[in-house]
Amino acid sequence: MSLRLGDKAPNFKAQTTAGDIDFYEYLGDGWGILFSHPADYTPVCTTELGKTAALQDEFAKRNVKVLAVSIDPLDKHHGWVNDINETQHVTVGFPIIADEDRNVATLYDMIHPNASLTATVRSLFVIGPDKAVKLIITYPASTGRNFFEVLRVVDSLQLTANYSVATPADWKAGEDVIVVPAVSTEDAIKKFPKGVKVIKPYLRYTPQPNID
């Protein structure tokens, strides 16, 4: 059965390029991103892991740990990492799971038979500190992921987890946010001292509450 938003992310133990890990222990009390690749030594995936490596400091700032997965064996992963570092001018500092038995791929429903009977599709999961699935994105093999969008979504998820707000279309960190419908305008004015702009009774903006 496929995972849905709000479901508990399955735990697992796995061999990775950084040694054996327990997924929950690896995440600790922080956020996590688990993302899969159809195979090692593929061009789109090489650029994706390179971009993730380039953004490692950005993920760390947000208390997010990244973990990649491919069904290829560990020795291939190590060789591929060398290629990624060389061609993308980065240093991959996050683990890549060697999921030869497809345990992780099966737990997270990463194999879609209509796309491929054997390879994992390009799935990405954002997992919260409560180990619940907060975001699921699945891309086709031909389209590389936008990791700036992944960072944007993490910013939104972390903000909206702590405040009674939602983020509008194309929102970026620092821009105004939307007061959720469950909060009345009267309560919103008290709750958000930076001000509340009422466009419609159901559409109310306030400056992002967690920045000065």
Side-chain angles (χ1 to χ4, degrees):
M1 186 174 178
S2 61
L3 286 175
R4 296 181 179 179
L5 296 183
D7 287 352
K8 190 166 186 178
N11 193 25
F12 56 83
K13 291 180 171 61
Q15 283 189 321
T16 81
T17 51
D20 293 349
I21 67 159
D22 175 285
F23 186 46
Y24 280 10
E25 288 180 6
Y26 174 73
L27 294 183
D29 59 0
W31 292 71
I33 291 177
L34 176 68
F35 64 119
S36 61
H37 301 86
D40 293 359
Y41 297 105
T42 50
V44 175
C45 300
T46 298
T47 64
E48 289 188 326
L49 267 72
K51 179 57 69 175
T52 305
L55 294 171
Q56 283 169 139
D57 288 347
E58 291 298 321
F59 287 114
K61 272 194 248 178
R62 294 161 171 81
N63 194 25
V64 175
K65 288 187 175 177
V66 178
L67 188 61
V69 56
S70 167
I71 58 174
D72 285 324
L74 205 54
D75 59 338
K76 281 189 72 175
H77 282 0
H78 284 298
W80 186 33
V81 166
N82 291 335
D83 278 8
I84 295 166
N85 291 343
E86 175 193 345
T87 62
Q88 307 302 304
H89 312 292
V90 296
T91 300
V92 173
F94 52 87
I96 305 175
I97 296 169
D99 192 35
E100 288 186 86
D101 62 1
R102 294 171 174 74
N103 176 47
V104 178
T106 301
L107 284 173
Y108 283 80
D109 194 32
M110 292 172 169
I111 294 178
H112 295 189
N114 288 334
S116 170
L117 290 171
T118 56
T120 51
V121 293
R122 192 170 277 117
S123 296
L124 183 146
F125 300 83
V126 175
I127 296 155
D130 58 356
K131 305 300 183 290
V133 175
K134 306 297 184 184
L135 173 80
I136 303 171
I137 310 177
T138 300
Y139 285 76
S142 57
T143 304
R145 283 170 277 220
N146 184 334
F147 284 89
F148 292 108
E149 167 64 5
V150 175
L151 285 171
R152 189 189 77 88
V153 174
V154 168
D155 285 339
S156 174
L157 288 169
Q158 293 184 341
L159 173 65
T160 58
N162 294 311
Y163 297 90
S164 300
V165 297
T167 55
D170 297 332
W171 174 85
K172 297 182 186 68
E175 296 178 349
D176 287 357
V177 296
I178 292 172
V179 180
V180 297
V183 177
S184 69
T185 298
E186 182 181 359
D187 288 342
I189 292 168
K190 298 174 188 172
K191 194 176 186 72
F192 302 110
K194 294 179 185 176
V196 176
K197 183 179 180 182
V198 180
I199 308 300
K200 292 286 185 181
Y202 60 86
L203 180 58
R204 299 153 304 162
Y205 290 89
T206 188
Q208 185 173 327
N210 64 339
I211 58 175
D212 296 329

